[in-house]
Amino acid sequence: MYLNTLSDVLKAQYGTKVYKLALSSGCGCPNREGEGRGCIFCDGAGAFAARGSVAEQLEEAKARVAAKLKKPGKYIAYFQSFTNTYAPVSYLEPLFHAAMAPSDVVALSVATRPDCLGEDVLALLGALNEEKPVWVELGLQTIHPRTAEYIRRGYELSAFDRAVRALRARGITVVVHQILGLPGETPEMMAETSRYIGHSEADGVKLHMLHILDGTDLAEEWRAGRVPVYEPAEYIRVLARCVESLPRETVIHRLTGDGARKNLLAPLWSTDKKRVLNEIHRAFRLMDVEQGRLFY
């Protein structure tokens, strides 16, 4: 079995476990403006105001992981919710600088949309990347036009291609999200998305199952019986195929996802993340999963 996992890469680079500290930028999302309802699976939970200053958020986040640390660790400052470049550079620059300032923060990670990376934002991220490594996470989810339209992604695949090229030209690490189990997609369609990500210049990928969250339009589709969700064994089989469809050098940042318990409708088994990961690794060993085996 071979997997090129983020935990192994970070341990080799920094000699210790590296923790992500989730931060709020207070940014919204262009896909939810006006009459827009955002992506079909989005419950709007990302649209919350910043919880105090970035320095305060960092200290709170460090306190939450402190109990897990046997010795001082390293951190990645992670602006996770919503579109964290959807604001003027004059607003973003001090936030990002503050997040990178502590000596124990080794990198900045920014989640955003490919269509929210203007030249001024790219210039800012490129400059920051000269100080410490900058990662940008892009929510691709799928390469298939019909699915992209169904989930209301709101941008063309060409926008993703341009964003990846522009980021990599500045030496910025690119991480791509892919959702497995989107309605109407076959295992081979999902493998095609993984191969496409592999052929892009992206450095890493986050793979996770489709979640049904209460308060979303997808939840109404699910209640109507139009959206099936995976059982664990089904998910693991599809996941293995996608992993094998990625190049060996692509860093796998995530093999599962755990939606917020308070509004997760399905699949409920995904909430036990430790157990799910153990099952994935056990099954992968039995299947002798080899990342890159199906990449061409």
Side-chain angles (χ1 to χ4, degrees), residues 108-181:
L108 171 71
S109 184
V110 179
T112 190
R113 292 170 56 89
D115 55 352
C116 289
L117 288 167
E119 286 300 322
D120 54 346
V121 172
L122 289 167
L124 170 62
L125 295 173
L128 294 173
N129 194 52
E130 297 294 322
E131 301 175 24
K132 289 183 180 180
V134 173
W135 304 356
V136 171
E137 295 191 6
L138 301 175
L140 175 64
Q141 320 308 359
T142 180
I143 63 167
H144 301 288
R146 180 176 293 182
T147 314
E149 182 179 2
Y150 174 79
I151 65 174
R152 302 197 302 254
R153 190 179 64 190
Y155 67 82
E156 299 293 329
L157 185 58
S158 57
F160 167 79
D161 295 334
R162 288 192 299 271
V164 174
R165 287 194 298 267
L167 291 164
R168 294 299 299 126
R170 291 163 173 81
I172 295 166
T173 296
V174 178
V175 183
V176 183
H177 288 242
Q178 180 183 354
I179 295 177
L180 308 185

Side-chain angles (χ1 to χ4, degrees), residues 90 92 94 156 171 203 213-214 229 251 256 275 294:
S90 59
L92 297 173
E156 299 293 329
D203 303 272
L213 301 177
D214 197 18
V229 294
V251 179
T256 183
R275 180 179 178 181
L294 300 178

Side-chain angles (χ1 to χ4, degrees), residues 238-264:
V238 172
L239 178 65
R241 187 167 180 176
C242 289
V243 165
E244 293 199 324
S245 299
L246 291 164
R248 289 178 65 86
E249 62 271 17
T250 299
V251 179
I252 298 177
H253 288 236
R254 180 186 289 172
L255 289 168
T256 183
D258 48 342
R261 292 173 182 264
K262 64 181 181 179
N263 61 349
L264 179 67

Side-chain angles (χ1 to χ4, degrees), residues 11-223:
K11 188 71 177 292
Q13 185 172 358
Y14 296 106
T16 187
K17 189 168 179 61
V18 181
Y19 294 84
K20 279 191 172 182
L21 303 177
L23 307 173
S24 170
S25 67
C27 293
C29 177
N31 216 19
R32 298 187 68 89
E33 283 196 342
E35 298 299 317
R37 293 179 58 81
C39 294
I40 196 170
F41 48 75
C42 180
D43 66 347
F48 55 87
R51 308 179 299 269
S53 69
V54 168
E56 291 169 337
Q57 291 184 61
L58 282 171
E59 290 308 309
E60 289 177 10
K62 286 180 186 180
R64 287 193 292 272
V65 301
K68 304 177 184 178
L69 302 180
K70 297 180 180 179
K71 59 180 181 179
K74 301 290 185 182
Y75 303 99
I76 296 168
Y78 182 28
F79 288 96
Q80 179 179 12
S81 297
F82 264 4
T83 307
N84 293 286
T85 59
Y86 188 54
V89 165
S90 59
Y91 176 84
L92 297 173
E93 186 169 9
L95 289 181
F96 294 164
H97 272 297
M100 297 171 67
S103 59
D104 53 2
V105 170
V106 297
L108 171 71
S109 184
V110 179
T112 190
R113 292 170 56 89
D115 55 352
C116 289
L117 288 167
E119 286 300 322
D120 54 346
V121 172
L122 289 167
L124 170 62
L125 295 173
L128 294 173
N129 194 52
E130 297 294 322
E131 301 175 24
K132 289 183 180 180
V134 173
W135 304 356
V136 171
E137 295 191 6
L138 301 175
L140 175 64
Q141 320 308 359
T142 180
I143 63 167
H144 301 288
R146 180 176 293 182
T147 314
E149 182 179 2
Y150 174 79
I151 65 174
R152 302 197 302 254
R153 190 179 64 190
Y155 67 82
E156 299 293 329
L157 185 58
S158 57
F160 167 79
D161 295 334
R162 288 192 299 271
V164 174
R165 287 194 298 267
L167 291 164
R168 294 299 299 126
R170 291 163 173 81
I172 295 166
T173 296
V174 178
V175 183
V176 183
H177 288 242
Q178 180 183 354
I179 295 177
L180 308 185
L182 289 168
E185 292 208 349
T186 65
E188 179 52 32
M189 291 172 72
M190 294 174 233
E192 287 170 359
T193 292
S194 295
R195 286 191 202 98
Y196 193 95
I197 293 169
H199 282 291
S200 75
E201 296 181 43
D203 303 272
V205 64
K206 285 187 171 182
L207 300 162
H208 51 91
M209 73 289 289
L210 180 68
H211 287 112
I212 312 295
L213 301 177
D214 197 18
T216 66
D217 291 344
L218 187 63
E220 298 307 310
E221 292 278 282
W222 174 76
R223 288 189 177 101

